[in-house]
Amino acid sequence: MDNIVKITGSKSGIILRLDPEADWDSIVKDVAEKFKSSAEFWGDAKKAIAFQGRELDEKQQDEILATIQDNCELQIVCVLDENPEREAAFAKALQQEKSGSASAVAEKTAANMLQNDNGTGFFFKGNLRSGQVLDVETSIIILGDVNNGAKVISKGNVIILGSLKGNVFAGSAGNVDAFVIALDMKPVQIRIADTIARSPDESPRRSKTKETRIAFWEDGNIYIEPLDKDVMSDIRLS
């Protein structure tokens, strides 16, 4: 059973490699035993986790996370997708020529962000719920929603291919060139470097319309504007 589950560390947290041939009950049992025996080592640290070796559906991911929680004090704050092949395929798809819509501009920006990060940016797939914090050293693309009460902290850019209703801190190391993009931008708070802003109030009619927007720093202020090619021409990808 020793080889059914392997636990390794990465710069973004924990990698859990699962034997693709093992039956599910054996995997869950081995996860429980390994994290129980290493509970003292992990303590109550907060870590992200990535799964490798086999594809897991949402129910299976939840079962693994619950098993970890039942057997140690380690806090798993998010699930990361660090599959290089999947990331490469996604980046290639983002680079396909599309119409000049705001969402297409956001997708192309996401691809450019990865290129300019020299491969150090990564994806998070899934929704961040209230109380969850995603803290990364690189730029990040989130394939899902950042819900109210959730928080994203990045030293680079943050691109959310979903709704932003929580908090985002981009350029956390003082990078004023960092920006935030969301397909539906309704945050509690956005911070870029040392500047903080809230989403502007909207009329009830406008609030029902999803509009891709970008938040960027300029002259000591954060501006939140609809994302189009004209705006992007004034923003430096970093």
Side-chain angles (χ1 to χ4, degrees):
M1 183 174 288
D2 288 345
N3 294 323
I4 291 180
V5 176
K6 294 182 179 180
I7 305 172
T8 58
S10 73
K11 64 181 180 181
S12 52
I14 297 171
I15 297 175
L16 208 60
R17 182 164 184 81
L18 310 176
D19 187 339
E21 304 299 328
D23 67 88
W24 183 246
D25 288 341
S26 296
I27 287 176
V28 174
K29 182 179 179 181
D30 200 26
V31 168
E33 291 178 355
K34 281 187 165 60
F35 279 93
K36 185 175 183 178
S37 64
S38 60
E40 185 175 349
F41 170 78
W42 296 116
D44 60 353
K46 296 181 179 180
K47 297 286 186 178
I49 193 169
F51 299 108
Q52 293 183 357
R54 63 192 290 165
E55 295 286 339
L56 303 182
D57 58 30
E58 187 173 350
K59 182 179 180 181
Q60 290 174 322
Q61 287 190 13
D62 287 344
E63 185 172 0
I64 291 292
L65 297 180
T67 300
I68 294 173
Q69 185 176 3
D70 289 342
N71 288 278
C72 65
E73 299 299 319
L74 176 67
Q75 300 178 53
I76 302 297
V77 296
C78 65
V79 178
L80 301 177
D81 187 349
E82 293 189 335
N83 185 311
E85 293 181 358
R86 189 180 297 120
E87 290 186 4
F90 183 72
K92 181 178 179 180
L94 294 179
Q95 292 173 321
Q96 295 177 348
E97 289 298 326
K98 295 185 178 182
S99 66
S101 66
S103 60
V105 174
E107 290 173 341
K108 292 176 182 178
T109 303
N112 287 334
M113 184 188 76
L114 286 183
Q115 293 168 355
N116 289 330
D117 267 349
N118 296 319
T120 59
F122 60 85
F123 297 100
F124 168 78
K125 182 186 294 183
N127 300 323
L128 286 175
R129 300 183 295 273
S130 178
Q132 292 184 310
V133 178
L134 177 57
D135 190 346
V136 297
E137 297 290 317
T138 66
S139 294
I140 185 168
I141 299 172
I142 298 173
L143 288 78
D145 299 331
V146 179
N147 291 307
N148 189 22
K151 187 174 185 179
V152 179
I153 304 171
S154 168
K155 288 186 177 180
N157 309 311
V158 178
I159 294 180
I160 301 168
L161 301 181
S163 297
L164 169 56
K165 299 177 182 178
N167 296 271
V168 170
F169 184 5
S172 61
N175 180 14
V176 296
D177 291 323
F179 57 81
V180 179
I181 291 175
L183 299 187
D184 185 22
M185 179 87 76
K186 298 174 183 175
V188 171
Q189 183 185 94
I190 286 181
R191 179 175 176 180
I192 298 176
D194 295 326
T195 305
I196 298 174
R198 296 175 65 88
S199 181
D201 294 332
E202 296 180 326
S203 66
R205 185 176 69 179
R206 280 194 65 188
S207 64
K208 296 180 181 179
T209 303
K210 293 183 178 181
E211 182 178 30
T212 304
R213 295 184 183 178
I214 181 171
F216 59 94
W217 185 96
E218 185 175 303
D219 298 329
N221 296 300
I222 293 177
Y223 297 90
I224 301 176
E225 298 183 1
L227 182 65
D228 56 34
K229 292 182 178 179
D230 292 335
V231 172
M232 285 309 304
S233 65
D234 295 330
I235 302 298
R236 182 174 66 187
L237 297 179
S238 58

